[in-house]
Amino acid sequence: MKQKLLLIAGAMFLFAFGTKAQNLSKITGQVKDANGNAVMAATVVLNNAKDSQLVKTAVSNNTGTYELLNIKSGNYFIVVTATGMLKNRSAAITVGENETVTASLITLTQAAKSLEGVTVTSQKPMVEVKADKMVMNVEGTINAVGNDGLELLRRAPGVIVDKDDNISLAGKNGVQVYIDGKPSPLSGTDLSNYLKSLQSSQIESIELITNPSAKYEAAGNAGIINIKLKKNKTLGTNGSVNAGYNVGTYGRYNAGLNLNHRTKTMNIFGSYNLSHNLNLMQFNLQRSVLDTFFDQGSEIKMLNTNHGFKAGVDFFINKKSTLGVMVNGNINDNNISNFSRTPKFFIPTGALVNTLIADNSTDGKRNNINFNTNYKYTGSKGEELNLDADYGTYTIRSNQMQPNFYYNPSGFIIATSVYNFIAPSDIRIAAFKVDYEQNFKKGKLGFGGKSSFVNSKNHFERYNVDNAGFKLDIDRSNEFEYTENINALYINYNKQYKNKMVQLGLRMEHTLSSGDTYGLNNDASINKSSLIPFERNYVNLFPSAAITFNKNPMKQWSFSYSRRIDRPSYQNLNPFEFKLDEYTFQKGNTRLNPQYSNILSATYVYKYRLTTKLSYSHVKDMFTQIVDTTEKSKSFITQRNLATQDIISLNVSYPFQYKWYGMFVNVNSFYSSFKADYGGGSRVVDLGVATVSVFMQNTFKLGKGWTGELSGFYNSPTVWQGTFKSKTLWSLDAGVSKPIFKNKGNIKASFTDMFRSLKFRGDVNFASQFTQFSGYGDSRMFKIAFSYRFGSMQVKAARNRNSATDEESKRTQGGGGIGVGGQ
């Protein structure tokens, strides 16, 4: 209770801190377009007339007006920019002490025609905070070089990746990962392996969307993480090449090629990326069960070779219509070698009973290909229609050899058991989506729907291997086929009133799912008479609402509510037992129900810079990973619905820029309460934990084109999956970059996890079994990367097709976002 009171008191202090202002002089003004209409969300930058140094920034409100507060006396000028318009600047402005100065009207003109033939070099901020999301611009971050997608998420503000690569956001699991605005059907190990196959050179930005509107699918209790891949938007024929090398315990390399040809009537694009990674991981697990102690130590080597590709064409049919076709995918070959040693002790005497040596290896393939056809129509009266049709396949193959040798205390083999596991999986996904939006009653009315179909076939063969050869164990082999059909309709309306912006939405989703489990015959064919089916059919409503008070753009309050869902993945439903080693196995749970969240939040934005957000979430039937016991001393890992989770979270972000130095800091704290009863005694879960995570990024302009970066994160002790208590986790990276070849090339070098502090540790006490775990990966590395752009650099300013998340950002409550730093 004391922790809750401290957290709430801290929230009240920070909210009160954000409302204090010390007014000196003030500059006000207005921004309009060539037709005399107000320009909303224009970026207003006040510069010192003497040396052009940035002094203050602001964003225009819905009437086009802006305010620049706390201005010292002196001479200044203002530069204004807005999307799709040419920037403009004011005449010189003289400011005295304690006075209000009204700047002359600034008029912006459309940039679509004027930009032809002009080369534009943009600098994106490292991190942008907007009303509904936080954007981490990977392209502008030096220390992102050489990282894969999962490593980038580990370093993202408010994101925690646990020892099993499960992802949580702001203290909640159930994150829905999107790729280019489309939800990924993968989960668990399949998702983490896919993210590891994505290289930073392929990724443009990562969006952390904690307050999705009704337009988004309702899946994702913690919100949505949208990974946006790069797409060229320049006129003419152009492209880029990149290459990088990382060295830690072992070396890694990556390379890529991007090509693009854009005219006024069409855009053809394509890319290819190659990565070859050899990773090393150390993992230790100590378990006490009854009178037996297991002391497992493992060294895991993971070799991944990945080929990523994308190709497509956009046809600009006319000024209002765009038709696009795209294909992308990944081809991945991997090998995992696990060298494991587990001594087994008798606790009363401390005597060694035996030692298990289990050096297993797994050969795998993970191939994915996606096809997309899209159409966009933009009318002259604000109406917009988007159609998307998608089809994707995931082909996953795994072949594991698992020899187990038992040695007595004298070092002689006393028993042997060798297994071979063959596990092919095939996933097919098809989806069709329609979104329509138009002006209505001085606001924006949007509605649409989506139908998606997923089919997953998972075949598992377990062979007992001895001198006679391979024999299929039909009692421990199976096929699991899972199908899911979700049909959704939504309506969303937002309107700007005099002093506030209101958004209301409602989404309805009908879910039909079924799972069929079959045994196998001796020839590994399906035994159809052994069918064990289950079915689910349910309809849910997901309301959402938000209101932003923006009378004073320098002090904006926003309040929001949403209801979300997370459905069990096919991996967590598959009831079959997968053997990790002789003492540990994993199994799914067909009784696993969806988990639901209700989320309330209040956000205060001060001067477009300090953002403070207080949230409360209640999660019903929360997924949790349980390590239970069987056969006295063996353990199995499964998912169950923990009764409830309540989370109070406080998030504070602040960017700072002064001459050559830029900084962004994000502090995310939360108190989480877990409660469940699985039969009393040691099967009761009642945990409360307060957690703080800090993300900070610093940039330094070092002169002569050199830029330095120092970034890091800190996670205090927390709880994973409801039962796993983890210790402190932190990391610090440093890097430099410099443009070369007349700014067409760039070289970056970084040193990651400089103090080798990225080590996970923790424990779990459940079902009379106490487990401690620890480990670390090959995270301390030196990385160097080179990129070079060639061909035309003329920017196309109009009619590029945006993803769903881009469209949503245009309607965020309160307008513009904030950011700092750029490369």
Side-chain angles (χ1 to χ4, degrees):
M1 186 64 187
K2 289 182 179 180
Q3 291 171 315
K4 287 185 178 179
L5 292 174
L6 286 172
L7 187 65
I8 294 172
M12 296 173 63
F13 170 78
L14 284 168
F15 268 60
F17 170 79
T19 61
K20 292 182 179 180
Q22 182 181 6
N23 291 320
L24 299 175
S25 293
K26 178 171 69 173
I27 299 175
T28 64
Q30 190 174 28
V31 184
K32 292 187 176 182
D33 62 19
N35 298 321
N37 299 316
V39 177
M40 182 180 177
T43 301
V44 181
V45 180
L46 182 68
N47 299 279
N48 193 306
K50 182 179 180 180
D51 54 11
S52 297
Q53 287 292 330
L54 183 149
V55 179
K56 289 282 182 179
T57 61
V59 178
S60 62
N61 63 15
N62 60 301
T63 64
T65 58
Y66 60 87
E67 288 184 336
L68 296 158
L69 303 178
N70 299 335
I71 308 301
K72 296 179 180 179
S73 60
N75 297 318
Y76 304 93
F77 67 92
I78 291 173
V79 176
V80 179
T81 58
T83 302
M85 293 183 169
L86 291 176
K87 72 178 179 180
N88 198 1
R89 60 177 287 172
S90 71
I93 302 171
T94 300
V95 179
E97 294 184 357
N98 297 315
E99 67 175 359
T100 298
V101 176
T102 301
S104 58
L105 175 69
I106 297 178
T107 302
L108 301 183
T109 57
Q110 293 292 330
K113 293 183 179 179
S114 302
L115 276 177
E116 294 185 11
V118 178
T119 299
V120 178
T121 301
S122 63
Q123 290 187 334
K124 290 185 177 181
M126 295 176 298
V127 179
E128 297 174 276
V129 179
K130 300 184 178 181
D132 63 338
K133 63 187 173 184
M134 184 178 296
V135 182
M136 181 178 175
N137 290 308
V138 177
E139 285 184 305
T141 306
I142 299 171
N143 290 331
V145 62
N147 285 328
D148 60 44
L150 193 65
E151 290 172 328
L152 290 174
L153 289 182
R154 193 187 301 275
R155 290 164 167 79
V159 177
I160 296 177
V161 181
D162 69 15
K163 68 179 182 65
D164 297 316
D165 295 337
N166 297 305
I167 302 167
S168 62
L169 179 61
K172 293 179 286 184
N173 63 0
V175 177
Q176 179 66 54
V177 175
Y178 280 50
I179 307 295
D180 278 338
K182 297 178 175 61
S184 170
L186 300 178
S187 61
T189 302
D190 291 336
L191 176 61
S192 65
N193 285 327
Y194 172 74
L195 294 175
K196 290 175 184 177
S197 72
L198 291 177
Q199 295 301 302
S200 61
S201 58
Q202 298 173 256
I203 299 173
E204 176 182 323
S205 63
I206 296 174
E207 299 176 335
L208 310 176
I209 307 170
T210 55
N211 184 33
S213 74
K215 183 174 181 178
Y216 291 95
E217 295 185 22
N221 280 347
I224 293 168
I225 296 178
N226 181 44
I227 299 175
K228 295 179 66 177
L229 304 180
K230 292 179 179 179
K231 185 175 181 181
N232 200 313
K233 300 173 183 177
T234 52
L235 283 168
T237 302
N238 51 79
S240 65
V241 293
N242 63 81
Y245 184 77
N246 310 339
V247 59
T249 305
Y250 302 103
R252 314 178 188 180
Y253 59 83
N254 60 82
L257 169 67
N258 294 272
L259 294 172
N260 192 83
H261 177 74
R262 180 186 284 263
T263 67
K264 293 181 179 180
T265 58
M266 67 183 303
N267 179 53
I268 304 173
F269 56 92
S271 65
Y272 168 76
N273 290 273
L274 166 69
S275 63
H276 181 84
N277 300 325
L278 179 57
N279 302 313
L280 180 67
M281 180 179 179
Q282 302 287 341
F283 181 74
N284 301 298
L285 186 73
Q286 292 84 37
R287 292 192 298 118
S288 298
V289 185
L290 299 178
D291 60 359
T292 306
F293 176 73
F294 301 87
D295 186 13
Q296 179 182 347
S298 300
E299 180 180 273
I300 306 168
K301 291 183 179 179
M302 296 165 284
L303 176 63
N304 274 279
T305 301
N306 189 76
H307 306 268
F309 59 89
K310 177 194 286 188
V313 58
D314 293 324
F315 299 98
F316 307 125
I317 300 171
N318 51 45
K319 292 183 178 181
K320 297 182 179 180
S321 301
T322 302
L323 176 66
V325 179
M326 184 180 69
V327 59
N328 65 65
N330 283 275
I331 299 173
N332 176 269
D333 292 312
N334 57 81
N335 175 269
I336 301 175
S337 299
N338 187 350
F339 305 96
S340 175
R341 182 177 185 273
T342 307
K344 176 181 174 182
F345 297 91
F346 183 59
I347 292 177
T349 63
L352 175 65
V353 178
N354 57 48
T355 300
L356 169 64
I357 303 295
D359 296 341
N360 60 76
S361 64
T362 304
D363 290 316
K365 294 181 181 292
R366 297 177 183 273
N367 301 334
N368 159 238
I369 186 168
N370 304 299
F371 302 91
N372 169 262
T373 300
N374 56 77
Y375 173 78
K376 179 178 180 179
Y377 172 84
T378 304
S380 57
K381 296 182 179 180
E383 65 271 27
E384 185 174 294
L385 173 68
N386 284 281
L387 303 175
D388 272 280
D390 294 277
Y391 179 77
T393 66
Y394 295 80
T395 304
I396 304 168
R397 299 292 181 263
S398 175
N399 188 337
Q400 181 185 56
M401 286 296 299
Q402 189 185 97
N404 298 275
F405 298 98
Y406 292 89
Y407 293 80
N408 64 19
S410 300
F412 295 99
I413 295 178
I414 55 176
T416 301
S417 56
V418 181
Y419 308 105
N420 177 216
F421 307 109
I422 298 176
S425 296
D426 294 288
I427 304 172
R428 302 290 183 268
I429 179 170
F432 178 76
K433 181 166 70 79
V434 56
D435 299 296
Y436 179 77
E437 188 177 73
Q438 67 174 39
N439 295 325
F440 180 75
K441 300 290 185 181
K442 297 182 180 181
K444 280 284 187 181
L445 175 66
F447 52 89
K450 180 178 180 179
S451 288
S452 64
F453 302 85
V454 177
N455 176 262
S456 173
K457 290 185 178 180
N458 307 276
H459 191 83
F460 184 82
E461 301 172 14
R462 167 175 161 170
Y463 292 88
N464 298 319
V465 183
D466 54 27
N467 293 332
F470 293 71
K471 182 179 180 180
L472 181 67
D473 188 340
I474 60 174
D475 294 328
R476 293 177 173 83
S477 301
N478 85 327
E479 174 151 317
F480 179 66
E481 182 172 351
Y482 179 72
T483 60
E484 184 178 79
N485 169 220
I486 301 175
N487 299 293
L489 295 172
Y490 77 89
I491 185 169
N492 201 66
Y493 181 72
N494 62 77
K495 182 178 180 179
Q496 176 67 50
Y497 292 89
K498 184 177 180 180
N499 298 320
K500 56 184 175 292
M501 168 81 78
V502 177
Q503 178 174 295
L504 300 172
L506 180 64
R507 187 179 185 93
M508 180 184 71
E509 294 189 349
H510 178 207
T511 305
L512 290 164
S513 63
S514 64
D516 294 332
T517 304
Y518 298 91
L520 300 185
N521 298 313
N522 289 324
D523 61 355
S525 62
I526 297 174
N527 181 358
K528 294 187 177 182
S529 64
S530 62
L531 171 64
I532 302 176
F534 72 85
E535 291 185 358
R536 289 179 181 169
N537 184 343
Y538 52 94
V539 178
N540 294 120
L541 294 176
F542 301 97
S544 62
I547 182 170
T548 297
F549 297 94
N550 52 15
K551 179 179 180 180
N552 182 356
M554 296 294 105
K555 301 175 182 178
Q556 295 190 44
W557 284 91
S558 298
F559 301 90
S560 66
Y561 165 78
S562 64
R563 184 173 187 254
R564 312 284 298 167
I565 186 176
D566 267 307
R567 300 173 180 87
S569 69
Y570 66 88
Q571 287 180 319
N572 293 333
L573 291 172
N574 188 347
F576 195 73
E577 300 174 0
F578 182 78
K579 199 178 188 70
L580 301 177
D581 59 36
E582 281 285 78
Y583 298 129
T584 311
F585 60 89
Q586 191 168 3
K587 63 186 295 186
N589 178 11
T590 59
R591 296 182 180 180
L592 196 62
N593 294 315
Q595 63 178 16
Y596 296 89
S597 291
N598 287 278
I599 306 162
L600 291 166
S601 67
T603 304
Y604 179 73
V605 181
Y606 180 63
K607 292 186 178 181
Y608 297 101
R609 302 183 72 79
L610 177 65
T611 301
T612 308
K613 183 175 183 179
L614 183 65
S615 300
Y616 169 75
S617 300
H618 176 77
V619 185
K620 179 183 178 183
D621 290 333
M622 176 194 166
F623 299 154
T624 184
Q625 184 168 287
I626 299 295
V627 180
D628 213 334
T629 55
T630 184
E631 298 179 31
K632 293 185 178 181
S633 62
K634 294 184 179 181
S635 66
F636 69 88
I637 302 170
T638 189
Q639 290 269 345
R640 293 185 185 176
N641 292 107
L642 193 96
T644 60
Q645 181 188 26
D646 292 282
I647 301 175
I648 301 173
S649 66
L650 175 67
N651 187 286
V652 181
S653 299
Y654 184 75
F656 175 79
Q657 185 78 45
Y658 180 75
K659 295 183 179 180
W660 53 269
Y661 173 69
M663 180 268 290
F664 175 84
V665 61
N666 175 266
V667 180
N668 187 67
S669 59
F670 61 88
Y671 178 85
S672 184
S673 172
F674 306 86
K675 292 184 179 180
D677 187 347
Y678 291 117
S682 62
R683 293 178 179 272
V684 173
V685 178
D686 189 355
L687 293 174
V689 61
T691 302
V692 176
S693 65
V694 180
F695 170 86
M696 180 176 285
Q697 197 148 13
N698 305 271
T699 57
F700 312 88
K701 299 295 183 182
L702 305 176
K704 296 184 179 181
W706 286 95
T707 300
E709 183 177 298
L710 183 68
S711 61
F713 72 90
Y714 166 85
N715 294 332
S716 71
T718 187
V719 174
W720 296 334
Q721 300 280 311
T723 56
F724 291 82
K725 298 180 181 179
S726 73
K727 307 298 183 183
T728 297
L729 189 70
W730 65 281
S731 178
L732 191 65
D733 306 335
V736 294
S737 72
K738 178 178 172 57
I740 55 178
F741 301 141
K742 298 181 179 179
N743 289 326
K744 290 186 176 182
N746 192 288
I747 188 167
K748 298 179 181 180
S750 68
F751 186 26
T752 61
D753 194 18
M754 294 188 293
F755 298 98
R756 191 166 277 176
S757 55
L758 201 56
K759 300 178 180 180
F760 58 83
R761 295 170 296 131
D763 59 69
V764 57
N765 191 356
F766 183 79
S768 301
Q769 177 178 204
F770 180 71
T771 304
Q772 291 181 303
F773 55 86
S774 63
Y776 59 90
D778 198 10
S779 56
R780 183 178 177 180
M781 287 185 286
F782 174 74
K783 304 176 179 181
I784 189 166
F786 168 76
S787 62
Y788 180 78
R789 296 175 291 117
F790 56 86
S792 171
M793 298 300 158
Q794 299 176 19
V795 174
K796 175 72 174 178
R799 290 196 295 119
N800 57 291
R801 189 178 192 277
N802 297 316
S803 70
T805 50
D806 293 323
E807 298 300 322
E808 280 295 306
S809 67
K810 296 177 183 177
R811 296 184 291 278
T812 55
Q813 302 82 32
I818 59 176
V820 63
Q823 309 303 329

